[in-house]
């Protein structure tokens, strides 16, 4: 029995020694497959980054056209306050030119329209910020490849540029003939 136990022990030891290279080979195979996957993912990101850079270069010529920015929608946040003698409507809309702002009372509705178009320095700054985000890994270029030019513009503008058309129902006691508007230092104030 001792010899049988010793023979079994030697057989198990031999099997362990024989299986160690197989386990190492399997580990090396899995490691190699993982490294291949990582290399493919890196190559895909780099290809996508190059494609996005090429599109941004083309887009930089396209974005200088004012009508492209006017197609985008922006949504300024308006705050309404009721006073003892009327109402005040305020919104922060920096960098808006007075000639690009329209305020009208139509029946019992106050209509506030406007548009903000960036200048070439602002456009270049936005595009450079996007390129920096791509280069430092804050943004995955593979997510940008399928975007249309307008979607890329929206991403770059992030709601700061475009047009808006807001309508507010006037209360019954509001007098549309007494509406006054003021736009100073980026703040629109409408008194009713």
């Amino acid at each position: 029995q001792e010899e049988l136990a010793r023979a079994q022990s030697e057989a198990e030891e031999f099997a362990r020694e024989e299986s160690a290279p197989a386990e190492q080979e399997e580990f090396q195979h899995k490691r190699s497959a993982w490294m291949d996957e990582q290399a493919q993912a890196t190559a895909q990101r780099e290809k996508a980054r190059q494609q996005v850079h090429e599109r941004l270069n083309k887009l930089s010529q396209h974005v200088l056209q004012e009508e492209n920015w006017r197609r985008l929608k922006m949504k300024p946040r308006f705050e309404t306050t009721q006073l003892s003698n009327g109402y005040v409507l305020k919104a922060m809309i920096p960098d808006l030119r007075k000639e690009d702002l329209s305020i009208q009372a139509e029946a019992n509705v106050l209509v506030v329209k406007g548009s903000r178009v960036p200048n070439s320095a602002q456009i270049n700054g936005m595009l450079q910020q996007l390129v920096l985000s791509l280069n430092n890994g804050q943004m995955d270029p593979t997510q940008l490849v399928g975007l249309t030019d307008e979607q890329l513009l929206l991403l770059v503008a992030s709601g700061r540029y475009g047009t808006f058309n807001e309508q507010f129902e006037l209360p019954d006691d509001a007098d549309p003939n007494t509406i006054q508007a003021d736009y100073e230092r980026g703040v629109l104030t409408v008194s009713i």
Side-chain angles (χ1 to χ4, degrees), residues 74 76 78 89-103 112-117 160 164 180-191:
M74 59 183 284
F78 287 86
L89 185 69
K90 282 190 176 188
M92 288 190 65
I93 317 171
D95 301 327
L96 195 66
R97 299 179 309 194
K98 286 184 179 183
E99 58 267 19
D100 290 332
L101 184 61
S102 167
I103 301 165
V112 182
K113 298 178 187 179
S115 64
R116 182 169 52 199
V117 177
R160 296 174 290 179
F164 63 92
Q180 294 180 348
D182 184 42
Y183 179 75
E184 281 198 39
R185 295 188 178 131
V187 178
L188 172 65
T189 305
V190 180
S191 300

Side-chain angles (χ1 to χ4, degrees), residues 30-70:
K30 286 181 180 179
R31 182 174 179 262
S32 178
W34 179 81
M35 289 176 68
D36 288 345
E37 287 174 13
Q38 294 301 311
Q40 286 176 350
T42 300
Q44 283 178 327
R45 280 192 300 275
E46 181 57 28
K47 181 180 178 185
R49 190 179 69 74
Q50 288 174 354
Q51 288 174 340
V52 170
H53 278 282
E54 288 170 11
R55 286 206 42 223
L56 286 175
N57 286 335
K58 290 177 186 174
L59 189 62
S60 66
Q61 308 306 315
H62 183 65
V63 296
L64 295 175
Q65 298 171 4
E66 191 170 306
E67 65 271 8
N68 292 322
W69 289 99
R70 292 193 187 281

Side-chain angles (χ1 to χ4, degrees), residues 102-158:
S102 167
I103 301 165
Q104 299 174 355
E106 300 171 1
N108 65 338
V109 176
L110 178 69
V111 179
V112 182
K113 298 178 187 179
S115 64
R116 182 169 52 199
V117 177
N119 60 38
S120 60
Q122 291 167 323
I123 292 170
N124 288 334
M126 287 183 285
L127 292 174
Q128 286 174 358
Q129 185 63 41
L130 183 59
V131 168
L132 283 173
S133 296
L134 287 169
N135 288 341
N136 66 19
Q138 290 177 331
M139 193 173 289
D140 182 1
T142 59
Q143 295 175 342
L144 303 179
V145 171
L147 297 180
T148 65
D149 286 351
E150 188 164 321
Q151 289 170 325
L152 275 174
L153 276 177
L154 282 169
L155 179 67
V156 169
S158 62

Side-chain angles (χ1 to χ4, degrees), residues 153-173:
L153 276 177
L154 282 169
L155 179 67
V156 169
S158 62
R160 296 174 290 179
Y161 299 98
T163 61
F164 63 92
N165 182 350
E166 300 293 326
Q167 298 183 8
F168 303 93
E169 187 173 336
L170 293 171
D172 292 335
D173 61 343

